[in-house]
Amino acid sequence: MTTAGDRLILVGRIVGLHGVAGEVKLESYTDPRMQIFRYQPWLLNTPAGNREISGCRGREQGKGMVASLPDVADRDLAASLVGCEIKVRRSALPQARPDEYYWTDLEGLEVVTIEGVALGRISHLLATGANDVMVVRDGERERLLPFVLDEYVKAVDFEEGRVTVDWDPEF
């Protein structure tokens, strides 16, 4: 059985090569992007199977990022990793502060109105610039609800697996 701490979280991707010594270019989904190096070990989905690596180091290079991976010392081996997703166990991430949530922890939670009307489950979240948005699906319908604490999101209860919102179920 997989626990919440063992769940794998996508934090980046190897997108290219840098030089001849086995360095790779990364795309990081963390904020700030260099934070990806604090979350280790990495789990890579390589063509030869899953590979766990620790001790990855990196730097910003122009508009991108370059990483050195342990035991990857030549361009050919690095080339075999291009396209690999970089995942970490949920337990590698720091504890969220009060009133802050990892999107991955919200996905799958049931969404109900303050009157108790079920709206569906959180499929995923979107960043819109103004605020994050929950994509809530109930099988027939998809709703986009702003994830704005106190105004629309009244409570997040992980033990009950529920998010309570102030929202018109007809909207």
Side-chain angles (χ1 to χ4, degrees):
M1 184 169 128
T2 302
T3 66
D6 290 335
R7 190 175 35 187
L8 298 181
I9 310 301
L10 180 64
V11 294
R13 179 180 313 277
I14 297 174
V15 295
L17 302 173
H18 181 79
V20 296
E23 290 184 314
V24 293
K25 294 179 183 179
L26 296 184
E27 180 179 1
S28 173
Y29 305 143
T30 64
D31 185 24
R33 67 185 185 170
M34 288 298 289
Q35 194 75 10
I36 193 171
F37 295 103
R38 297 197 60 198
Y39 309 140
Q40 294 195 36
W42 289 357
L43 296 116
L44 304 179
N45 61 333
T46 71
N50 291 334
R51 179 176 178 189
E52 183 172 308
I53 57 174
S54 293
C56 303
R57 297 184 333 268
R59 65 186 184 281
E60 294 186 90
Q61 181 86 21
K63 293 182 180 181
M65 298 171 58
V66 173
S68 299
L69 310 179
D71 302 324
V72 178
D74 67 70
R75 188 174 177 87
D76 291 337
L77 184 53
S80 71
L81 301 175
V82 173
C84 288
E85 293 179 332
I86 302 168
K87 295 182 180 183
V88 297
R89 289 183 184 83
R90 169 61 180 90
S91 59
L93 303 178
Q95 197 67 18
R97 291 182 288 214
D99 291 337
E100 288 188 349
Y101 304 96
Y102 286 110
W103 287 6
T104 189
D105 294 340
L106 297 170
E107 292 169 355
L109 295 182
E110 178 185 23
V111 178
V112 297
T113 68
I114 54 177
E115 292 85 19
V117 177
L119 300 178
R121 294 197 173 274
I122 299 173
S123 165
H124 59 283
L125 289 97
L126 305 169
T128 64
N131 54 264
D132 297 333
V133 173
M134 299 179 288
V135 178
V136 179
R137 295 182 178 149
D138 69 0
E140 301 174 9
R141 186 171 177 188
E142 180 177 275
R143 292 179 175 89
L144 303 177
L145 282 71
F147 192 86
V148 178
L149 292 172
D150 298 326
E151 187 171 348
Y152 300 110
V153 176
K154 298 301 182 180
V156 177
D157 187 337
F158 289 111
E159 288 186 22
E160 294 291 324
R162 180 176 302 135
V163 175
T164 303
V165 296
D166 186 0
W167 196 258
D168 181 351
E170 299 302 317
F171 187 71

